[in-house]
Amino acid sequence: MTAHSRWLIQDSSSTDQLLDQFKQKFTLEPMFIRHETLTFFDDFEWHLWRKNQLLASNNRDSILLVNTSELTFFENEPSPVFATNIDHPTLQEHLLTVTKGRRLFPMAELEVEFCNYAVRNKDLKKVCDLNIILTGFGTMIELKGLRGYDKEYRRSLKIIQRKKPDQLDHHIFHNSLNLLGIRPSDYRARPQYHLKPELDSGDATALVAQKLWHNVRINEEGIIRDWDAQFLQQYRVAIRRMRALFSQMKQSIGHEESNWFKTRLVQLAEPTSRMRDLDVYLKSEAEYTRLIPESFHEGLHQLFKDLSRERQQAHRVLAQHLKSPSYKSQISLLESRLALCPQAATKKGHKAIQQVAAQRIIKRYNSICLDAIGINNQTPDEQIHEIRLGCKKLRYLLEFFGELFPKKQTKPMLKALKRLQDNLGQFNDYSVQRESLDHYLSSHSVTPEIEAAVSALNGVLFNKQKEERAKVRDQLDDFLNQTIRSCAESLLTSHTARSNKAKKGSLTS
Amino acid sequence: MKTLACYSIKGGVGKTATSVNLAYLAAESGLRTLLIDLDSQGASSFYFRVRPSKKNWGKRFFKTYEQLLKQIKASDFDRLDIIPAHESFRHFDALLSDKDKRQLRLKRVLKGLKKEYDLIILDCPPTLSYLSEGIFHAANMIVVPVIPTTLSERTYEQLQDFFQGNKLPTKVLYPFFSMVQRQKQLHKTTIERMSQETPRLFKTQIPFSSDIERMGEHRAPVNCVSPKTPGAQAYAALWGEISKKLLH
Ligand SMILES: Nc1ncnc2c1ncn2[C@@H]1O[C@H](COP(=O)(O)OP(=O)(O)OP(=O)(O)O)[C@@H](O)[C@H]1O
Ligand SMILES: [Mg+2]
């Protein structure tokens, strides 16, 4: 609302001249001058950097956040490790959303001098804020107007513009870090595949697989060092995506090769399951506590203490495994086969990926439609799970190959699919949580308090599951409506669309 | 958005000192605060070094809230803005002579500010007038500084009578002792008596203090210049009581 601008000045003598010129027209009161060595932080996925934000600590007692060029200080904050360690509620909430709770790593250092001046009129009323920030890579001049003092802002602007400074789009910290050569890693939890539409579908499959494999490998160190729970999660997700890929594309690379990879990938993921389960448990402590009456809290607390001890143990075992020769040979075997993939592409494997993908997507969509017929509140849970799995497969296909099509053709489908999956996913989560709680009780000898707490929790989760279940039919109807169907069908070339028309009548009735 | 008025029929009891410091404390606590200086003398504007606009805009004050928006000035402090007084505010009563509308005019025009502010503080002139009727309707809470003397006690009673006579809810009236000098016998006995009989009386008493008196030299809230002094601490405690009641 109030005016606000930034400029870059290269030499320090013109900064001094600038201040002198301000002093001729206004009273310039230095409000603070700080000299700091700043350490900048970001998470493994560079979430902050990619959103044009920077987080820094002065390594003593303050944190700074640059958000779309706006700099804010937060006092009494030690160097950050996780967003959850931060005291200041708004900063904590903001960082939790952006970094998704991931560990923060130091990524660069800068020597910085901040000077803040109040520009005052004859009454000594502040009429503008003048900030000067020096980083050794340049000097940033920042002028902020105050509401109701537009004339004074314009006069200040004139003083600065006489120096002909460069306009600065980003904060000087961004420029300085760029000049320091800081670049984000190319890791993305959801890789971009950059496939060409006319690429052979077998080769495209191999390309996607290689990108996903990169994600598997890059997360290993974070698991071993236990930096945060996302390393394991993303490691597992990459493996799961590869399995889905090989399974969906088996007609392009051949059943035998597809099965070979699927078997190896299952083996690879297996030793990580226990730890992931425990991570999921431990994450839900706060929520579970909220769900059940206070009289059960002590039991729940005991349970979580046991679980976190178990997790420590599970982590030791997993870390050992990931460092073991047998794991390494598993890896190198997979890598050598991946390098040769596809070894015997099928006829379909030589068809263009865009066409093959379109066919797969519409086929998946149709099969979900078939499964959805007759679903109502009485349908057994197994059928709901069937649909959930179908949706997952469709989601993977869209993730791998969606970029081959214009956004407007895939977006409505993706959006509707996401809503449906959220609903089905919740439904499934509650059921899995209940099962694993039951399993925990039957496989551990526990105190009566824990047992009581778990049964109470189980009851609450059961009701929640029923609530989600009641929403499924509406969500399905939304997903199966004509807009989404047309969207799916538009992916096919006119030639393939025609050959599918015959089937369509029976499905939409 | 809540509206807090600082009001008393009697002059020189500390309304302006209170408005200025409460506004500062509210903004510091995180509330987006607007202080409106309704007294054409412009004392609270003076304390924040804000000058009124040269234009004679008082006659448009009750027209639309957009008129008010144009007059808003930032203070030196984050989240605290001010509408400075203009000498044309002296003629408010002439503008409000229409009986049907005058009671709700102020309330209506302030409503337009609710997107931008969490709290509006009104520093009021020491009169019982059409404007004050508007204030009584607009405010969620009216804090009344009372110097513990017989005369001040009388004017507070007058205010209550006015409320009752005009079917206004006395439950928005919150008195507190201001400029207290305990060593004066009169103050002591008045405080003792009134504490027994006065509903909604705030516990905090603002002492007579030279730091508050000297606010005019610094032209800044005492809670900013010397927050550790007894006067500043008393205002902080008073704000604690007020915010608890007003915002629960
Ligand atoms: N607690 C206090 N201790 C000492 N002096 C005070 C105190 N409160 C206010 N004063 C001084 O008393 C004078 C009147 O105070 P103030 O202007 O706040 O009262 P007011 O009720 O707003 O007056 P008016 O009715 O003229 O608007 C001012 O000079 C002020 O500095
Ligand atoms: Mg006053």
Side-chain angles (χ1 to χ4, degrees):
Chain A
M1 167 137 191
T2 38
H4 186 176
S5 322
R6 308 190 172 75
W7 302 267
L8 187 68
I9 286 186
Q10 292 298 356
D11 63 306
S12 57
S13 64
S14 44
T15 314
D16 293 339
Q17 287 168 15
L18 185 76
L19 293 179
D20 284 340
Q21 277 154 12
F22 260 98
K23 282 177 199 155
Q24 286 167 21
K25 303 264 179 198
F26 295 100
T27 302
L28 207 57
E29 183 185 355
M31 301 302 281
F32 67 80
I33 292 177
R34 296 169 70 145
H35 214 102
E36 306 277 17
T37 306
L38 297 181
T39 306
F40 288 80
F41 288 83
D42 213 331
D43 65 38
F44 191 67
E45 297 174 66
W46 294 70
H47 280 122
L48 287 158
W49 182 286
R50 294 211 155 105
K51 287 222 151 79
N52 251 320
Q53 301 184 15
L54 293 171
L55 181 77
S57 159
N58 68 352
N59 300 303
R60 274 177 294 120
D61 53 8
S62 311
I63 285 183
L64 295 74
L65 179 74
V66 179
N67 190 356
T68 50
S69 309
E70 189 73 35
L71 171 71
T72 321
F73 281 92
F74 297 88
E75 308 294 336
N76 298 321
E77 292 280 3
S79 284
V81 182
F82 286 103
T84 44
N85 302 136
I86 284 178
D87 266 338
H88 210 279
T90 51
L91 179 64
Q92 185 190 70
E93 200 183 303
H94 174 80
L95 287 179
L96 269 179
T97 333
V98 179
T99 66
K100 307 203 165 71
R102 297 213 67 174
R103 178 187 279 267
L104 295 160
F105 298 97
M107 52 97 167
E109 262 188 17
L110 275 183
E111 293 265 353
V112 177
E113 196 175 298
F114 301 92
C115 314
N116 169 251
Y117 296 92
V119 181
R120 298 188 185 279
N121 65 12
K122 286 201 193 73
D123 294 330
L124 295 183
K125 169 75 183 75
K126 183 161 89 172
V127 293
C128 284
D129 259 309
L130 180 69
N131 289 312
I132 295 177
I133 301 183
L134 297 86
T135 67
F137 291 92
T139 302
M140 181 172 87
I141 311 284
E142 187 179 39
L143 184 70
K144 285 188 205 172
L146 259 63
R147 188 170 186 167
Y149 293 96
D150 303 343
K151 225 171 46 208
E152 290 81 351
Y153 178 78
R154 285 196 298 272
R155 276 172 61 204
S156 303
L157 209 58
K158 268 207 198 108
I159 298 178
I160 294 174
Q161 276 165 346
R162 248 183 269 138
K163 294 246 102 54
K164 300 201 187 334
D166 298 328
Q167 198 75 34
L168 201 54
D169 295 330
H170 294 296
H171 198 273
I172 182 102
F173 293 164
H174 283 287
N175 296 46
S176 306
L177 293 175
N178 266 324
L179 288 170
L180 256 178
I182 307 293
R183 300 284 179 274
S185 84
D186 61 356
Y187 176 74
R188 281 175 195 270
R190 259 176 227 285
Q192 289 166 333
Y193 304 104
H194 306 296
L195 300 174
K196 294 217 163 56
E198 62 281 2
L199 193 66
D200 279 5
S201 68
D203 293 336
T205 306
L207 247 158
V208 172
Q210 270 148 14
K211 287 243 172 164
L212 289 168
W213 182 249
H214 174 73
N215 279 14
V216 173
R217 298 299 320 274
I218 206 167
N219 278 296
E220 287 168 352
E221 189 183 4
I223 303 173
I224 293 172
R225 298 186 174 230
D226 206 6
W227 279 326
D228 68 39
Q230 276 297 307
F231 287 96
L232 178 59
Q233 164 67 349
Q234 295 190 4
Y235 174 92
R236 285 168 56 83
V237 167
I239 293 178
R240 207 179 306 138
R241 287 204 176 113
M242 284 179 81
R243 272 167 53 201
L245 174 75
F246 283 118
S247 151
Q248 299 276 316
M249 301 303 285
K250 58 174 175 272
Q251 285 164 358
S252 293
I253 61 161
H255 284 243
E256 197 194 329
E257 194 168 5
S258 157
N259 282 335
W260 188 88
F261 276 112
K262 272 160 59 188
T263 317
R264 299 294 150 145
L265 290 166
V266 171
Q267 282 170 7
L268 203 63
E270 202 279 325
T272 64
S273 306
R274 183 64 194 144
M275 181 150 134
R276 177 61 197 161
D277 288 348
L278 289 162
D279 279 341
V280 172
Y281 268 134
L282 290 168
K283 213 174 54 183
S284 28
E285 174 161 12
E287 197 207 337
Y288 284 0
T289 313
R290 209 164 36 76
L291 287 178
I292 57 174
E294 207 169 327
S295 55
F296 297 114
H297 287 182
E298 181 48 38
L300 201 63
H301 184 65
Q302 282 179 30
L303 173 67
F304 277 102
K305 247 167 87 179
D306 289 355
L307 288 173
S308 86
R309 210 172 306 128
E310 210 176 317
R311 186 195 176 277
Q312 264 179 21
Q313 178 70 21
H315 174 256
R316 248 196 314 274
V317 173
L318 179 57
Q320 277 307 322
H321 167 69
L322 292 180
K323 288 188 278 191
S324 70
S326 84
Y327 177 77
K328 297 224 162 90
S329 71
Q330 248 178 313
I331 292 293
S332 64
L333 185 61
L334 261 161
E335 280 180 354
S336 55
R337 283 291 289 260
L338 263 180
L340 299 175
C341 178
Q343 278 183 325
T346 59
K347 207 164 130 217
K348 200 166 211 166
H350 291 297
K351 286 209 171 125
I353 182 61
Q354 188 180 40
Q355 199 192 351
V356 174
Q359 283 167 356
R360 299 288 321 160
I361 290 168
I362 185 82
K363 205 168 155 205
R364 265 291 141 233
Y365 184 76
N366 282 336
S367 114
I368 297 172
C369 294
L370 264 180
D371 287 341
I373 293 173
I375 293 277
N376 57 38
N377 275 345
Q378 271 72 51
T379 325
D381 284 359
E382 286 72 64
Q383 283 185 40
I384 307 277
H385 285 299
E386 208 52 51
I387 292 187
R388 189 179 64 81
L389 295 178
C391 287
K392 247 183 150 166
K393 287 177 186 159
L394 178 58
R395 179 71 173 272
Y396 284 133
L397 281 172
L398 287 168
E399 264 176 30
F400 302 145
F401 305 121
E403 64 182 40
L404 290 165
F405 306 96
K407 268 224 170 70
K408 70 173 191 313
Q409 285 184 345
T410 53
K411 211 170 166 189
M413 187 172 16
L414 255 174
K415 268 174 116 173
L417 180 60
K418 191 171 174 318
R419 276 196 303 272
L420 176 60
Q421 276 192 305
D422 284 347
N423 173 220
L424 293 167
Q426 274 296 334
F427 168 76
N428 183 57
D429 280 354
Y430 289 130
S431 126
V432 170
Q433 286 174 38
R434 284 175 49 221
E435 257 171 50
S436 66
L437 284 169
D438 281 342
H439 176 75
Y440 189 85
L441 281 192
S442 58
S443 60
H444 292 66
S445 61
V446 298
T447 62
E449 286 90 357
I450 295 186
E451 194 168 341
V454 169
S455 327
L457 193 54
N458 219 319
V460 179
L461 292 174
F462 179 68
N463 285 331
K464 296 221 154 234
Q465 189 185 353
K466 272 208 314 223
E467 279 167 30
E468 285 300 326
R469 173 62 199 265
K471 295 183 207 154
V472 170
R473 185 65 251 174
D474 282 352
Q475 292 288 349
L476 276 174
D477 288 341
D478 277 356
F479 181 62
L480 300 175
N481 76 21
Q482 195 49 46
T483 327
I484 310 290
R485 164 157 295 279
S486 319
C487 189
E489 283 171 354
S490 72
L491 299 180
L492 288 168
T493 61
S494 56
H495 149 78
T496 39
R498 222 172 298 130
S499 64
N500 254 321
K501 276 245 167 77
K503 287 187 222 151
K504 184 185 144 190
S506 64
L507 292 171
T508 45
S509 60
Chain B
M1 185 188 79
K2 299 282 186 193
T3 305
L4 174 72
C6 195
Y7 177 82
S8 141
I9 302 175
K10 195 169 154 33
V13 295
K15 294 184 294 293
T16 297
T18 305
S19 306
V20 162
N21 286 298
L22 289 182
Y24 173 82
L25 289 163
E28 204 188 32
S29 81
L31 300 178
R32 296 167 303 164
T33 308
L34 176 68
L35 172 63
I36 305 184
D37 188 355
L38 289 172
D39 188 347
S40 59
Q41 304 284 325
S44 37
S45 320
F46 173 83
Y47 284 127
F48 283 108
R49 305 165 193 255
V50 177
R51 278 178 194 273
S53 95
K54 294 200 184 70
K55 286 197 201 104
N56 180 1
W57 71 286
K59 57 181 180 292
R60 293 190 298 272
F61 190 103
F62 300 99
K63 285 253 157 67
T64 59
Y65 77 91
E66 283 92 346
Q67 294 290 343
L68 291 187
L69 287 182
K70 281 194 222 156
Q71 302 299 331
I72 292 176
K73 302 225 170 228
S75 74
D76 283 12
F77 310 103
D78 286 346
R79 293 179 295 276
L80 177 55
D81 291 346
I82 291 153
I83 296 185
H86 189 270
E87 57 171 43
S88 57
F89 288 10
R90 279 183 294 146
H91 309 305
F92 273 170
D93 266 32
L95 296 172
L96 293 169
S97 55
D98 180 349
K99 179 156 179 25
D100 293 336
K101 290 188 195 143
R102 68 174 173 239
Q103 295 182 332
L104 293 173
R105 289 274 286 274
L106 182 63
K107 187 182 172 118
R108 210 167 298 143
V109 77
L110 293 182
K111 220 181 194 170
L113 303 171
K114 71 167 181 256
K115 265 201 216 107
E116 285 198 50
Y117 296 99
D118 305 311
L119 179 66
I120 291 189
I121 295 184
L122 306 174
D123 181 17
C124 309
T127 51
L128 199 48
S129 59
Y130 293 156
L131 173 66
S132 39
E133 278 186 66
I135 292 166
F136 300 155
H137 280 95
N140 301 98
M141 180 190 260
I142 300 169
V143 293
V144 187
V146 178
I147 303 177
T149 59
T150 333
L151 201 59
S152 274
E153 194 182 349
R154 272 285 302 134
T155 46
Y156 182 59
E157 280 163 13
Q158 253 178 301
L159 180 61
Q160 285 175 298
D161 293 345
F162 182 85
F163 264 63
Q164 272 151 8
N166 290 275
K167 303 213 164 52
L168 287 159
T170 47
K171 66 171 197 291
V172 298
L173 292 176
Y174 286 82
F176 66 93
F177 292 120
S178 171
M179 302 169 116
V180 175
Q181 287 168 289
R182 279 250 163 211
Q183 65 279 23
K184 288 194 176 163
Q185 191 54 35
L186 177 62
H187 281 209
K188 232 177 117 189
T189 50
T190 312
I191 287 173
E192 274 160 21
R193 189 179 53 256
M194 278 189 78
S195 301
Q196 302 281 326
E197 331 172 320
T198 315
R200 297 176 306 280
L201 176 71
F202 283 126
K203 270 210 206 66
T204 308
Q205 304 175 359
I206 310 297
F208 186 94
S209 108
S210 53
D211 300 294
I212 301 179
E213 212 174 8
R214 274 207 303 272
M215 259 172 52
E217 289 165 35
H218 295 295
R219 299 182 73 180
V222 13
N223 285 85
C224 169
V225 178
S226 45
K228 294 262 159 57
T229 56
Q233 301 258 313
Y235 276 125
L238 183 66
W239 168 243
E241 282 194 82
I242 291 174
S243 60
K244 219 156 116 200
K245 282 261 157 38
L246 189 62
L247 318 162
H248 12 262

